[in-house]
């Protein structure tokens, strides 16, 4: 009996070490990716447009979420406390910033409004205020005196319910909102494309093809949150239904994919043609001519037409203004 208990404890310790290693590695990759986007925004003045400013704040939230996830050591009560509050706050802020990007795209392309920059202060109040409210509510009844493998999962059913309500409920609300928003934008672009074909206006057809090309990338962005948090959601629901029993492989997928959210966001939202072109221009300024000739991608990036969110917004505004003037 004693040997069996010792073997079980040893296996539990190994599993915990593996989970910690997977979570830390994934969070470190996200930290690098999001930090890169923050650095690009600070260094390249031409990126400081309203649309990319939202991406910048998304990257800041991802960066701090990843940082505090790495810092959170369940063997130490204080760091477990810091992990819970800080990681929860910035992870919630991260997916809330994606809803502001979706809102901006929808209001500009579908509603044909040009006042999105007026919502800057409202966005900050909405994101940081909601994140703070959910974090405070999540802290009710928290006990960090006995930290375990999962810092922010309490043993009591009330704590688990609070976690589901304050994190996973707004998370899936954001996923549904983003999905519905991108669906409406896609439907509007499809209708506009059919109208352009009907009137045989080649210039409008060209604009719409560029917009569709841009949206082909942006339209899949709700999948980032789904891919990052599906396993975590399943794991939490399973833990709620079967307390005290964990599926190890599901836990690995949970911490791995959730930890990679910042990396996914930095690649999808941040590493767009504007960023690539800004980097290419800096390299073009400082690299020797011999090296530049061996890197044909520099020329291609410099001449590449911007087809990301900023371009989509500008083109939509121009067409709306032209339609209004006629």
């Amino acid at each position: 009996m004693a040997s069996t208990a010792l073997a079980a404890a040893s296996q539990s310790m190994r599993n915990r070490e593996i989970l910690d290693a997977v979570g830390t590695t994934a969070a470190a990759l996200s930290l690098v990716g999001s930090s890169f986007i923050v650095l690009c925004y600070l260094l390249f003045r031409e990126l400081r447009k309203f649309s990319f400013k939202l991406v910048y704040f998304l990257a800041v939230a991802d960066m701090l979420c990843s940082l505090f996830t790495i810092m959170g050591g369940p063997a130490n009560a204080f760091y477990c406390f810091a992990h819970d509050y800080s990681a929860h706050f910035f992870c919630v802020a991260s997916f809330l910033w994606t809803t502001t990007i979706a809102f901006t795209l929808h209001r500009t392309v579908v509603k044909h409004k040009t006042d999105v920059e007026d919502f800057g202060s409202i966005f900050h109040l909405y994101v940081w205020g909601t994140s703070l409210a959910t974090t405070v509510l999540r802290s009710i009844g928290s006990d960090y005196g006995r930290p375990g493998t999962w810092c922010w999962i309490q043993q009591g059913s009330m704590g688990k319910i609070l976690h589901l309500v304050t994190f996973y409920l707004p998370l899936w609300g954001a996923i549904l909102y983003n999905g519905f928003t991108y669906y409406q934008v896609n439907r509007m672009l499809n209708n506009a494309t059919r109208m352009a074909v009907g009137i045989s206006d080649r210039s409008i057809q060209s604009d719409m093809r560029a917009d569709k090309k841009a949206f082909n990338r942006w339209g899949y962005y709700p999948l980032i949150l789904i891919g990052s948090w599906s396993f975590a959601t399943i794991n939490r629901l399973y833990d709620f239904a079967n307390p005290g029993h964990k599926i190890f492989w599901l836990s690995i997928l949970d911490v791995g994919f959730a930890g990679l959210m910042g990396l996914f966001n930095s690649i999808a939202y941040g590493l767009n043609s504007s960023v690539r072109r800004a980097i290419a221009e800096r390299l073009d300024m400082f690299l020797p001519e011999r090296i530049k000739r061996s890197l044909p991608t520099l020329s291609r990036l410099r001449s590449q037409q911007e087809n990301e969110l900023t371009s989509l917004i500008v083109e939509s505004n121009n067409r709306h203004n032209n339609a209004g003037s006629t």
Side-chain angles (χ1 to χ4, degrees), residues 119-164:
F119 287 84
S121 299
I122 298 177
F123 286 163
H124 282 286
L125 181 63
Y126 154 68
V127 172
W128 305 123
T130 303
S131 301
L132 179 62
T134 59
T135 303
V136 172
L137 183 60
R138 175 69 185 89
S139 69
I140 296 177
S142 297
D143 179 12
Y144 299 95
R146 299 183 303 276
T149 302
W150 305 100
C151 260
W152 58 7
I153 297 296
Q154 299 172 357
Q155 296 300 317
S157 59
M158 179 56 67
K160 295 177 181 179
I161 292 175
L162 282 174
H163 190 205
L164 291 173

Side-chain angles (χ1 to χ4, degrees), residues 279-280 283-284 287 292 295-303:
I279 295 174
L283 292 176
D284 188 52
L287 287 180
K292 287 190 291 185
L295 297 174
T297 53
L298 291 178
S299 299
R300 185 169 67 251
L301 285 172
R302 289 198 304 268
S303 61

Side-chain angles (χ1 to χ4, degrees), residues 13 15 29 39 49 61 66 86 93 97 121 123 129-131 160 185 195-196 203 221 239 266 269 274 292 297 316:
M13 180 63 67
N15 290 348
L29 292 173
L39 186 63
K49 303 173 184 177
S66 301
S86 303
W97 277 117
S121 299
F123 286 163
T130 303
S131 301
K160 295 177 181 179
V185 173
M195 292 176 60
S203 63
Y221 287 179
D239 179 68
S266 63
Y269 287 94
S274 299
K292 287 190 291 185
T297 53
S316 177

Side-chain angles (χ1 to χ4, degrees), residues 17-77:
E17 291 174 352
I18 293 174
L19 289 174
D20 288 344
V22 171
T24 300
T25 302
L29 292 173
S30 291
L31 179 62
V32 171
S34 54
S35 298
F36 174 76
I37 300 303
V38 170
L39 186 63
C40 287
Y41 178 85
L42 297 176
L43 291 179
F44 305 145
R45 187 177 300 273
E46 62 270 28
L47 296 179
R48 298 175 190 176
K49 303 173 184 177
F50 180 75
S51 57
F52 198 79
K53 185 179 293 186
L54 299 179
V55 176
Y56 164 73
F57 286 115
L58 169 63
V60 169
D62 282 331
M63 181 178 67
L64 293 174
C65 175
S66 301
L67 177 62
F68 283 107
T69 298
I70 295 173
M71 290 175 57
N76 183 291

Side-chain angles (χ1 to χ4, degrees), residues 87-129:
H88 185 279
F89 178 88
F90 288 110
C91 286
V92 171
S94 173
F95 59 72
L96 290 182
W97 277 117
T98 67
T99 64
T100 67
I101 296 173
F103 174 86
T104 300
L105 184 64
H106 181 271
R107 186 168 181 82
T108 306
V109 177
V110 178
K111 298 296 186 181
H112 303 295
K113 301 293 186 180
T114 60
D115 60 348
V116 287
E117 295 192 25
D118 297 337
F119 287 84
S121 299
I122 298 177
F123 286 163
H124 282 286
L125 181 63
Y126 154 68
V127 172
W128 305 123

Side-chain angles (χ1 to χ4, degrees), residues 274-310:
S274 299
V275 175
R276 295 194 300 270
R277 187 166 53 252
I279 295 174
E281 289 174 354
R282 274 26 177 221
L283 292 176
D284 188 52
M285 291 172 57
F286 297 106
L287 287 180
E289 190 65 31
R290 177 174 56 84
I291 298 180
K292 287 190 291 185
R293 283 197 299 267
S294 65
L295 297 174
T297 53
L298 291 178
S299 299
R300 185 169 67 251
L301 285 172
R302 289 198 304 268
S303 61
Q304 180 181 2
Q305 293 296 322
E306 186 174 27
N307 59 2
E308 308 297 337
L309 175 63
T310 304

